[in-house]
Amino acid sequence: MSVQRIVILGGGFAGVAVAQRLEKKLRRDEAEIAIVSRDNFTLFTPMLPEVSSGGIETRHVVTPVRAQLRRSTFVLGEISRIDLDAREVAACHPITGDMTTLPYDTLVLALGSVTSTFGIPGVTEHTLPLKTIEDAETLRNRIIAALEQAVVTAPGPERDRLLTFVVVGGGYTGCEAAGELVDLFHSIVPFYRPLRLADVRMVLIEAGKALLPDLPPQMGAYTTRNLRQRKVELILGDGVTHIDERGLALQSGAFVSSATMVWSAGVRPSPVLKDLPGVMHARNGGIVVHADMSVIGRPGVWAIGDCAWIPTKEDAQQSDRSAWYPATAQHAIREGPALADNIIATMRGTPTKPFRYTSLGTMASLGARRGVAALPGGYVLTGFLAWFLWRSYYLARLPGLDRRLRVTVDWTLGLIFPRDIAEMRLYTERGHQAARDVQAQSKPVT
């Protein structure tokens, strides 16, 4: 039997899980495994809001891909071309621009998702997403730059705009981000005399009628009460129609003036996949697959994670969301080994198995040692117990003992010391530009 060339596109939870299982079950003379990713690390996304608020150090929630694999070849690169007919992939190195072409016998699409703007004008130009580690660091720098500028701006509409922070989207990320930012302001505003905590306005906008709309109503109701008690201004049932450098226009005709706007209203599969020929695309651009995660009509091609629509039952309809597995970390981690086993079964001529998994529940941390959790059996936890469960579960799932220890130390120090207010503008050019944008939009005191 010839050596199989297996190429995995994406270094997130799903892609790395596939590679790890293949390494464990395949001999070296059976397959050559390559994994391609634009980052050389896996980001532990559930803890990203805490990075943006300074509760966890940036590098403590990322794990190098090379450190997670023993014998797979890692290729740093942006996917520039996928040729399913020629069975090869081209990747562009993000630093040098050099192109690498990888032929394959088996291809795994695990490219994840990107922020969705829903075509609303101004979202790309004037808001900050919260999807990557760069996004979290940029947001933190933007917040600190706004506070620094507000200190030297006379009281009035301009300072009010600088001190108004808006999060759009009332799902997991939006609610967690709003809660974490409130904790950040409580910790650092006392450093910015003569500003007061009451001067800072935290706004959360959700186009639907309730927060956490896809979860049990008790979770959304508790989240609403908790955030309001902590002085978060909630705007529900009113969507965004336009965004510019001054703020956000809403469907109701209201306008929210703000210099710092976070967009967490939704995601969509990687745009690299939208033009792939001969595959069945879902309405959001994802790849529709069989229950065993093989791509319909393309032998040897598989899809997994956020970019794949995996059915939970036969004859699933796209309009029925319950008929498809959700794009969450806990599902991606379990999909990886199952897909790897099906690849091995195909190589060895044995039947593949449909992916089947029952969710362990859903959780969200709201900051201030409070959270919400939905457990199997319909049980719902709120408050401190849910927050403690969230921290315990995700700490255990964080890859690498060293990362778990580092995050534990971060959390422990957070009980004793305030958050850091150093503005690391040189972290990325985007972070540097974010700080310049705040200053350019503001009028100094004369």
Side-chain angles (χ1 to χ4, degrees):
M1 183 176 67
S2 61
V3 176
Q4 284 280 307
R5 298 166 299 183
I6 302 174
V7 175
I8 302 167
L9 305 185
F13 290 122
V16 170
V18 173
Q20 288 175 326
R21 184 69 154 231
L22 291 173
E23 286 187 343
K24 182 178 180 180
K25 291 202 165 187
L26 288 176
R27 301 186 310 272
R28 290 181 180 272
D29 61 351
E30 285 186 284
E32 296 175 349
I33 307 165
I35 185 167
V36 186
S37 176
R38 65 177 294 275
D39 297 311
N40 75 340
F41 56 80
T42 300
L43 170 63
F44 196 73
T45 51
M47 293 181 179
L48 195 58
E50 289 197 64
V51 175
S52 66
S53 69
I56 299 177
E57 285 297 316
T58 304
R59 291 182 181 272
H60 296 176
V61 297
V62 297
T63 307
V65 174
R66 296 177 189 274
Q68 299 178 76
L69 304 175
R70 297 193 306 272
R71 59 185 178 89
S72 298
T73 299
F74 175 75
V75 178
L76 183 68
E78 295 267 9
I79 306 302
S80 59
R81 178 173 54 85
I82 301 175
D83 192 331
L84 298 181
D85 295 321
R87 303 181 77 84
E88 65 179 23
V89 174
C92 177
H93 197 285
I95 300 174
T96 66
D98 293 339
M99 297 294 297
T100 300
T101 300
L102 295 94
Y104 67 84
D105 300 300
T106 297
L107 179 67
V108 177
L109 303 172
L111 290 169
S113 58
V114 298
T115 299
S116 176
T117 66
F118 302 103
I120 297 174
V123 172
T124 302
E125 297 83 359
H126 302 293
T127 68
L128 301 173
L130 192 53
K131 182 68 178 169
T132 68
I133 200 70
E134 293 92 342
D135 294 338
E137 189 70 11
T138 299
L139 174 57
R140 181 178 170 277
N141 285 336
R142 182 68 171 261
I143 290 170
I144 293 173
L147 293 175
E148 294 286 357
Q149 190 66 23
V151 168
V152 296
T153 301
E158 182 57 29
R159 193 174 81 164
D160 292 343
R161 189 179 72 88
L162 286 167
L163 294 177
T164 298
F165 301 89
V166 178
V167 176
V168 181
Y172 285 107
T173 302
C175 291
E176 290 184 333
E180 283 296 326
L181 293 185
V182 170
D183 280 358
L184 174 63
F185 295 136
H186 276 272
S187 181
I188 69 174
V189 167
F191 290 110
Y192 290 91
R193 295 177 292 275
L195 300 182
R196 300 170 302 151
L197 190 59
D199 296 328
V200 178
R201 183 187 179 198
M202 183 73 236
V203 182
L204 176 59
I205 300 174
E206 165 57 38
K209 298 295 185 181
L211 299 180
L212 302 177
D214 297 327
L215 302 181
Q218 304 98 302
M219 297 176 70
Y222 178 85
T223 301
T224 299
R225 292 195 305 271
N226 178 268
L227 293 179
R228 279 180 172 156
Q229 288 169 359
R230 295 163 62 199
K231 310 302 182 185
V232 177
E233 181 181 337
L234 301 182
I235 299 177
L236 304 179
D238 200 356
V240 176
T241 60
H242 178 81
I243 299 177
D244 58 29
E245 67 278 0
R246 299 176 298 112
L248 310 90
L250 304 181
Q251 292 173 346
S252 63
F255 186 84
V256 181
S257 179
S258 173
T260 304
M261 297 163 281
V262 180
W263 186 264
S264 63
V267 296
R268 58 186 174 88
S270 171
V272 173
L273 305 175
K274 67 182 180 65
D275 294 325
L276 286 183
V279 303
M280 183 180 296
H281 287 90
R283 62 177 182 270
N284 70 343
I287 304 296
V288 180
V289 299
H290 294 292
D292 64 357
M293 293 168 283
S294 60
V295 174
I296 298 171
R298 285 291 184 176
V301 182
W302 311 74
I304 188 175
D306 290 5
C307 68
W309 279 49
I310 305 171
T312 62
K313 57 185 179 181
E314 294 183 4
D315 301 322
Q317 301 297 316
Q318 289 192 32
S319 57
D320 181 7
R321 289 298 299 165
S322 66
W324 308 89
Y325 286 102
T328 65
Q330 67 168 298
H331 286 85
I333 291 171
R334 273 89 179 177
E335 289 164 8
L339 186 149
D341 289 344
N342 283 336
I343 290 175
I344 294 170
T346 300
M347 291 172 56
R348 296 175 179 173
T350 58
T352 61
K353 296 180 180 179
F355 176 71
R356 292 291 179 261
Y357 173 68
T358 301
S359 174
L360 298 176
T362 56
M363 297 180 286
S365 171
L366 304 177
R369 302 187 183 92
R370 294 294 183 268
V372 290
L375 306 180
Y379 296 102
V380 174
L381 296 178
T382 60
F384 177 81
L385 187 57
W387 171 83
F388 183 80
L389 181 63
W390 183 96
R391 281 205 164 184
S392 300
Y393 174 78
Y394 282 118
L395 185 65
R397 300 303 308 184
L398 190 64
L401 177 60
D402 61 327
R403 260 53 184 183
R404 296 179 202 135
L405 291 175
R406 293 175 194 271
V407 168
T408 300
V409 171
D410 288 339
W411 283 341
T412 303
L413 293 177
L415 299 174
I416 306 171
F417 301 107
R419 307 287 173 91
D420 199 311
I421 59 172
E423 183 190 353
M424 307 298 290
R425 287 184 291 171
L426 295 180
Y427 180 81
T428 63
E429 175 57 28
R430 185 178 178 188
H432 196 95
Q433 185 62 46
R436 292 200 297 265
D437 289 345
V438 170
Q439 294 166 358
Q441 294 168 13
S442 303
K443 299 176 182 178
V445 177
T446 58

